[in-house]
Amino acid sequence: EDIAFMYLYPEEYKLLKQRLHQRQSQFEDTLNESITVLNRTLKNDPTLRGQDVGIEVVGRTKELYSLWHKMEVKHDKNLDNISDLVALRVILTPGKTGGQDQGADSGVWLCYHVLGLVQHLPGFQPMPTKVKDYISFPKPNGYQSLHTALIYKGQSVEVQIRTSYMHQVAEYGMASHWSYKDEKKRPSSMGLYNTPWLSSIKEWQQDMVCSRDFVDCVRRELLGKRVFVFLRNGKILNLARGATAVDAAFQIHTEVGLSMHGVEINGKPVPISYELKNGDVVSILTGGGKPTTEWMRFAKSRSTRSKLRAYFRSKQNESFRKSGEMLFFDYLHNHQDEILQSSYLEFS
């Protein structure tokens, strides 16, 4: 990426490289000192020693193209506002229980324990607003990790914490470590492929769209920003940012969306066009509702629009069938005598 960046944007590459060179020694010193402090803290922790867990701490400074791209997306050229110029990663490998590898979920609690240690590293100042929990709220592509940021001698340092299983998925993709030793726990091999993002792709594939539209949809709805909302029973919905109450209803179940007649957000009635925000508590009121074509304007998700189109097509086909029956019986009634006279059947 850096080589391509150098040829595609030579001026930007040269300018950014000069800016980084002026502070390179500071970044390297911060990185080395951070690794030393973090390694010492983790190795001296009695809980981690008692769990016989493997600990690997690695660090890096941000690559040129990745840094430039982030600055362009955020429209912020100030290096001091980039929290992951210096980044550390902690990879935990849980020990074996009874000589056998544990499942994919093992070691999760250790990640949160390490997060607590990281937040109290001597000489570091935590940044509470920079904690991101991708373990409880994984990205649609399966990525899981804990992210946090610290300040050390005026320089921000990002720290990622994950298990070896999470690291495998993050580095090589979900297919590289699909079953991860716990295939026996699943009811069938098909359960390995029942992931939300793959189900969405399979569903979109049935729509008659060009390849460009398909790729744009994946980028926007699967790889774009997310919004997390709660249902009354505590379940969490993971939706694309910009999703509305209509999208939430159909995400719960198609029948819920088709029978929806109202929505309450945080206990207050709102229109179904309401755009969801992080932390909203959503209550879908069902019974007696019927979708209207206006809902298509409120549906932001391709999946929701596809379900609405299927509903309207079925209603249209039903209308055509009823119209055909009426025309047919009208014809029989109006031409009853002619039909009887020309019929080969005898009527008593």
Side-chain angles (χ1 to χ4, degrees):
E1 286 183 338
D2 282 356
I3 294 174
F5 178 38
M6 179 175 62
Y7 284 102
L8 289 173
Y9 303 96
E11 293 299 324
E12 291 86 344
Y13 176 88
K14 183 178 179 181
L15 179 60
L16 185 57
K17 188 172 183 179
Q18 289 175 347
R19 292 179 63 188
L20 285 180
H21 181 70
Q22 298 171 358
R23 302 174 59 178
Q24 190 64 37
S25 60
Q26 175 192 348
F27 294 154
E28 291 179 355
D29 290 344
T30 300
L31 179 63
N32 294 331
E33 292 174 18
S34 300
I35 291 176
T36 300
V37 173
L38 183 55
N39 260 320
R40 182 169 59 245
T41 299
L42 297 180
K43 288 181 180 179
N44 291 335
D45 181 68
T47 300
L48 294 177
R49 289 205 307 266
Q51 291 295 319
D52 188 29
V53 58
I55 303 172
E56 180 183 3
V57 178
V58 295
R60 61 106 180 110
T61 56
K62 202 168 185 66
E63 300 292 340
L64 280 172
Y65 172 74
S66 179
L67 174 59
W68 175 79
H69 182 263
K70 190 167 190 175
M71 294 168 70
E72 288 292 309
V73 170
K74 290 191 170 185
H75 306 289
D76 189 347
K77 305 295 184 181
N78 191 345
L79 290 176
D80 293 328
N81 294 335
I82 306 298
S83 61
D84 60 343
L85 276 171
V86 177
L88 305 180
R89 180 179 295 151
V90 180
I91 303 172
L92 305 174
T93 304
K96 296 182 178 181
T97 301
Q100 296 183 347
D101 288 334
Q102 301 181 53
D105 295 332
S106 65
V108 169
W109 72 272
L110 290 172
C111 292
Y112 291 97
H113 176 73
V114 170
L115 176 63
L117 298 176
V118 169
Q119 295 285 65
H120 294 86
L121 284 178
F124 288 76
Q125 178 65 40
M127 301 172 64
T129 59
K130 294 293 185 179
V131 177
K132 296 180 180 178
D133 187 352
Y134 294 117
I135 294 180
S136 297
F137 307 102
K139 292 186 178 182
N141 61 2
Y143 176 86
Q144 289 182 291
S145 190
L146 294 177
H147 291 196
T148 189
L150 311 169
I151 298 293
Y152 181 66
K153 295 182 178 179
Q155 174 63 51
S156 63
V157 180
E158 183 184 78
V159 182
Q160 300 175 0
I161 307 164
R162 61 180 67 153
T163 65
S164 54
Y165 165 74
M166 297 173 191
H167 181 67
Q168 180 84 7
V169 173
E171 292 294 307
Y172 305 107
M174 188 172 287
S176 68
H177 222 210
W178 217 304
S179 56
Y180 195 75
K181 307 293 184 181
D182 65 346
E183 185 172 356
K184 294 180 180 179
K185 298 180 181 178
R186 302 180 184 269
S188 67
S189 60
M190 289 304 293
L192 295 172
Y193 306 98
N194 289 334
T195 54
W197 62 271
L198 187 57
S199 299
S200 297
I201 289 178
K202 288 164 64 180
E203 186 175 302
W204 296 341
Q205 206 171 23
Q206 297 172 1
D207 293 343
M208 298 299 292
V209 296
C210 69
S211 57
R212 186 180 297 275
D213 289 341
F214 180 79
V215 172
D216 288 342
C217 186
V218 171
R219 285 176 174 169
R220 183 178 64 255
E221 297 194 20
L222 286 184
L223 305 181
K225 299 290 185 180
R226 313 298 295 175
V227 61
F228 298 94
V229 298
F230 297 88
L231 301 181
R232 286 184 302 177
N233 61 3
K235 181 181 178 181
I236 298 171
L237 295 184
N238 181 351
L239 301 162
R241 182 166 296 179
T244 64
V246 175
D247 296 306
F250 280 91
Q251 174 87 351
I252 297 170
H253 197 278
T254 302
E255 291 302 320
V256 173
L258 295 178
S259 61
M260 176 178 63
H261 67 78
V263 182
E264 289 183 354
I265 301 295
N266 303 322
K268 298 179 180 179
V270 298
I272 61 174
S273 59
Y274 173 85
E275 184 174 318
L276 300 170
K277 299 178 178 61
N278 273 321
D280 279 345
V281 179
V282 181
S283 178
I284 305 297
L285 308 179
T286 59
K290 287 185 180 180
T292 65
T293 53
E294 189 180 27
W295 288 20
M296 292 294 290
R297 292 196 298 112
F298 306 144
K300 305 301 181 183
S301 163
R302 175 174 291 275
S303 174
T304 303
R305 293 195 297 270
S306 176
K307 291 173 181 178
L308 284 171
R309 280 196 296 268
Y311 170 80
F312 292 133
R313 278 197 300 268
S314 68
K315 289 299 180 182
Q316 188 180 46
N317 292 337
E318 185 179 344
S319 176
F320 287 157
R321 182 181 61 79
K322 290 182 178 179
S323 298
E325 287 181 357
M326 291 175 63
L327 290 173
F328 178 68
F329 286 116
D330 283 347
Y331 180 85
L332 292 180
H333 181 269
N334 295 334
H335 300 83
Q336 180 179 2
D337 294 338
E338 297 176 17
I339 294 174
L340 290 175
Q341 289 176 5
S342 58
S343 176
Y344 291 100
L345 299 177
E346 294 183 0
F347 297 90
S348 56

